[in-house]
Amino acid sequence: MEPRIEVKEHMRGGKGHVIMKHLLGEKELNGKCRLYAEITLEPGCEIGYHQHLNESETYYIISGQGVYNDNGTTRTVSAGDITFTPNGFSHGLDNTGSENLVMMALIILD
């Protein structure tokens, strides 16, 4: 299966753009997940603060660093960190570093 690359401008109202490499398609996700992708945030780009309803999302940071907004509380994240946003909660991620922030994102439907 060939990954599908998508560039999203101002994702969730964030600055700049997000590069998404979709590793699985709708068929493989089988109605249980909405997204499994490698995401790249270039310096100065972000995923805007947003809420998850009827789903949860996990990030695994592969490289780079940034500031993660966890339901209103911010913290620095870098390679090896894992974040989890449960159903009904909100989050956002800003690449505040000087190199690309690369992560895996998994959205599981409730």
Side-chain angles (χ1 to χ4, degrees):
M1 175 177 178
E2 187 71 24
R4 180 174 60 91
I5 307 294
E6 177 181 18
V7 177
K8 287 193 162 194
E9 296 291 332
H10 309 291
M11 187 168 178
R12 303 290 191 161
K15 300 176 293 191
H17 61 273
V18 173
I19 303 165
M20 301 176 69
K21 184 191 293 184
H22 296 272
L23 301 176
L24 296 176
E26 189 174 320
K27 178 182 174 188
E28 293 79 19
L29 295 173
N30 195 28
K32 297 181 182 3
C33 296
R34 187 165 64 82
L35 175 78
Y36 180 57
E38 178 187 280
I39 296 179
T40 300
L41 297 173
E42 293 175 340
C45 294
E46 70 178 343
I47 298 171
Y49 188 74
H50 61 283
Q51 183 178 32
H52 283 272
L53 297 173
N54 302 312
E55 62 188 23
S56 61
E57 185 167 27
T58 301
Y59 294 161
Y60 174 71
I61 310 299
I62 297 170
S63 64
Q65 66 179 23
V67 173
Y68 179 71
N69 185 333
D70 183 5
N71 213 50
T73 301
T74 58
R75 65 181 169 103
T76 301
V77 292
S78 59
D81 288 340
I82 299 170
T83 70
F84 178 73
T85 303
N87 179 29
F89 287 79
S90 301
H91 68 158
L93 180 60
D94 185 1
N95 181 352
T96 57
S98 59
E99 63 183 59
N100 287 350
L101 188 158
V102 180
M103 65 177 186
M104 298 302 301
L106 174 65
I107 297 178
I108 299 173
L109 302 171
D110 282 350

